[in-house]
Amino acid sequence: MEEKAKIILDGKTFEFPIIVGTENEKAIDITNLRSETSYITLDNGFGNTGSCTSGITFLDGETGILRYRGIPIEQMAEKSTFVETSYLLIYGEFPQRQKLDEFAHSLKIHADLHPDMLKFFDGYPTTGHPMGLLSAMVCSLSGYYPELLNTEPTQEDIRTTAAELLSKVCTITAYTYKKSMGEPFVAPRRDFEYIPNFLHMMFSSPHQPYKMMEEVVSALETVLILHADHEQNCSTSTVRLVGSSWANLFASISAGVCALWGPLHGGANQQVVEMFEEIQKAGGDIQKFIDRAKDPKDSYRLMGFGHRVYKNFDPRSKIIKEKAHELFAKLGIHDPLLDIAVRLEEAVLKDDYFTQRKLYPNVDFYSGIIYRAIGIPTVMFPVMFAIGRMPGWIAHWKEMKENSKSKIGRPRQIYTGERVRDYIPMEQR
Ligand code: CMC
């Protein structure tokens, strides 16, 4: 017999279907709750609310499991590339060699920016945050590719738009960096693969090609793979919500970039390294910072700790920590901030405040250390997160678009304002 959830309201019993996912995750389907009972549910921060069914990423925060299309993140990080991971997330299956080559090629041929878009960089203040520029430019791509804006896009439209976004996000990022440094732009090269091409645009100069190091490419590959998707996080939910109004993929992802920017989400990697620098400036006294984070009267938080879903450990942080140590050992560099990170992590993991609240290092805790070692400035860390998350955003928008049952996202509310009252003329206020 089909299992049902029973809800008793005003003495009357209502039944709602139970939905079970492939990993035995259970949900009460309350689609008809309001029409049958006139009640709604209230769930601050959506901690208990499923906004959709999805076949892209599985995450179990209690046991620290993360899988892309069923593949454990540990295997993806060790064996895949970011381009292959992107294909898997967006199209659902591993590509055959020829398909992968075609996909990689499409990323190369779409990397150039329209010459008119280069003027954007002139108009943006050098002190402006790169996430603002990224969001504006991603949205503006819609103006340059009107042929891709069908409200019912074909598979070909989606393929092209995805390639535009995945490749142009690197070019926009590299040019933003060059502009901030007062250096000339370095055009993408079609004979370079995705990550080497990004590093080339970032760090080559007209007279001095960037010295490509396998260790750096591999570290960046891993970091981007780890960021590629994380099911219904704040930015991905934003992409889906905006896209649910049939807004185009460029507009939806531009909104996702803005959601990612916040310090509680993708902006955290920047804040983490700034926190390490502050600790360093304060003479390395980590306890002072821990005490501040524990003080209930102070809103200060230790950045890079805690996660809405992971309540045991974040599997990405484990991989990224190992990668950071490996990169530093291979490059023979020593960053005092890495020492601070290790000491802070050790102290936090022994502290009751953090263990009781299940606050463990998250993906942002070590990613910034790797970006720093590569030479990426702190202010650009959230942009690196955006490059990594791009395939996930695209995959979710595509999945939502292809689901004939998708509806416009429109939550309800419980109104707590004034009851009806009369307009008050100015002289009586
Ligand atoms: N430092 C100190 N206390 C914390 C922290 C922290 N980093 N995170 C949570 N807490 C406390 C919080 O004050 C609360 O305490 P109490 O129960 O006494 O009021 C308790 O832990 C639960 O916190 P919450 O804010 O209700 O938890 P949440 O699930 O709503 O928030 C979070 C999750 C990631 C926003 C939060 O842990 C946080 O702000 N962390 C720091 C920012 C950060 O590193 N963000 C990156 C997340 S991973 C990358 C991504 O996917 O975006």
Side-chain angles (χ1 to χ4, degrees):
M1 207 180 66
E2 205 189 330
E3 212 188 335
K4 298 261 188 198
K6 289 189 177 142
I7 299 180
I8 303 168
L9 294 166
D10 305 325
K12 208 173 155 208
T13 302
F14 299 88
E15 290 194 341
F16 297 94
I18 303 272
I19 307 282
V20 184
T22 46
E23 291 291 343
N24 209 28
E25 290 179 297
K26 291 182 177 161
I28 305 165
D29 180 350
I30 55 154
T31 309
N32 295 329
L33 179 69
R34 190 172 176 278
S35 60
E36 287 182 19
T37 69
S38 83
Y39 282 71
I40 61 165
T41 54
L42 188 60
D43 184 14
N44 184 11
F46 307 121
N48 308 286
T49 298
S51 58
C52 59
T53 55
S54 177
I56 301 171
T57 287
F58 173 68
L59 202 170
D60 181 340
E62 268 68 43
T63 51
I65 289 175
L66 173 63
R67 297 182 199 139
Y68 293 162
R69 300 283 187 187
I71 323 288
I73 190 65
E74 293 78 8
Q75 291 182 30
M76 292 303 296
E78 189 192 336
K79 300 183 178 158
S80 189
T81 62
F82 180 63
V83 170
E84 185 185 55
T85 302
S86 301
Y87 188 100
L88 175 72
L89 286 169
I90 298 170
Y91 300 110
E93 285 302 334
F94 280 121
Q96 300 288 346
R97 167 59 55 199
Q98 192 196 336
K99 280 266 174 241
L100 182 60
D101 290 347
E102 281 169 14
F103 182 59
H105 178 71
S106 75
L107 302 189
K108 291 175 189 173
I109 60 172
H110 289 291
D112 287 292
L113 294 185
H114 189 286
D116 289 349
M117 286 201 95
L118 301 181
K119 295 186 189 128
F120 279 58
F121 295 96
D122 293 334
Y124 198 68
T126 38
T127 48
H129 197 284
M131 286 295 264
L133 185 57
L134 179 65
S135 172
M137 289 192 79
V138 165
C139 195
S140 304
L141 285 170
S142 58
Y144 293 87
Y145 301 97
E147 69 280 10
L148 297 174
L149 305 186
N150 294 327
T151 48
E152 294 203 18
T154 62
Q155 285 300 318
E156 192 49 40
D157 289 339
I158 297 180
R159 247 196 307 279
T160 310
T161 316
E164 291 287 1
L165 283 161
L166 284 163
S167 65
K168 284 192 170 51
V169 69
C170 288
T171 317
I172 295 169
T173 301
Y175 286 10
T176 304
Y177 172 64
K178 286 293 189 198
K179 164 83 197 294
S180 73
M181 300 294 287
E183 292 174 10
F185 299 148
V186 173
R189 274 179 56 167
R190 293 193 179 178
D191 56 332
F192 278 170
E193 294 307 322
Y194 189 84
I195 290 179
N197 195 25
F198 171 67
L199 291 167
H200 158 71
M201 289 189 284
M202 285 285 288
F203 301 120
S204 288
S205 72
H207 314 292
Q208 183 87 43
Y210 174 68
K211 189 164 165 271
M212 210 62 73
M213 279 179 285
E214 206 185 299
E215 297 80 9
V216 170
V217 175
S218 157
L220 197 49
E221 193 97 68
T222 306
V223 177
L224 294 185
I225 290 171
L226 295 178
H227 283 85
D229 192 41
H230 214 233
E231 50 118 302
Q232 309 311 318
N233 56 85
C234 177
S235 58
T236 304
S237 301
T238 300
V239 169
R240 287 187 89 123
L241 188 63
V242 174
S244 77
S245 74
W246 294 5
N248 65 71
L249 187 51
F250 297 119
S252 307
I253 287 192
S254 164
V257 172
C258 290
L260 186 73
W261 189 356
L264 297 191
H265 191 10
N269 53 15
Q270 176 181 345
Q271 308 268 328
V272 167
V273 166
E274 285 169 359
M275 175 183 76
F276 293 158
E277 285 168 345
E278 252 188 88
I279 296 175
Q280 190 183 32
K281 262 195 228 133
D285 180 4
I286 50 173
Q287 197 53 47
K288 209 168 85 184
F289 290 79
I290 293 176
D291 290 345
R292 238 192 110 184
K294 286 160 62 174
D295 182 352
K297 287 188 231 89
D298 192 335
S299 63
Y300 180 79
R301 288 186 169 197
L302 283 186
M303 287 299 172
F305 288 94
H307 199 278
R308 168 60 62 78
V309 186
Y310 293 121
K311 299 299 175 197
N312 181 334
F313 71 98
D314 180 338
R316 303 168 301 171
S317 82
K318 216 168 137 192
I319 302 169
I320 225 163
K321 180 182 175 181
E322 280 166 21
K323 205 72 196 178
H325 283 288
E326 190 187 305
L327 179 69
F328 279 65
K330 283 193 177 149
L331 297 186
I333 49 175
H334 174 246
D335 185 346
L337 296 199
L338 182 60
D339 300 338
I340 291 176
V342 171
R343 280 201 299 127
L344 186 62
E345 182 185 359
E346 276 170 11
V348 163
L349 294 180
K350 280 193 220 135
D351 193 305
D352 284 352
Y353 172 94
F354 292 92
T355 52
Q356 276 163 12
R357 288 170 179 75
K358 301 189 162 109
L359 301 169
Y360 299 96
N362 57 47
V363 69
D364 289 324
F365 192 66
Y366 281 102
S367 61
I369 292 280
I370 293 185
Y371 296 142
R372 223 171 105 90
I374 296 173
I376 297 163
T378 317
V379 71
M380 300 205 71
F381 293 176
V383 181
M384 297 307 299
F385 197 148
I387 296 179
R389 188 51 55 87
M390 193 60 77
W393 288 334
I394 295 169
H396 281 273
W397 188 92
K398 180 171 177 287
E399 180 179 69
M400 183 203 57
K401 206 72 196 159
E402 288 168 358
N403 182 350
S404 58
K405 295 208 174 96
S406 290
K407 290 172 114 179
I408 187 166
R410 205 301 185 188
R412 296 246 173 200
Q413 64 165 18
I414 296 293
Y415 175 69
T416 57
E418 297 285 349
R419 304 218 50 198
V420 67
R421 52 185 182 149
D422 287 326
Y423 177 80
I424 307 168
M426 186 61 77
E427 57 282 6
Q428 290 174 23
R429 287 177 206 166

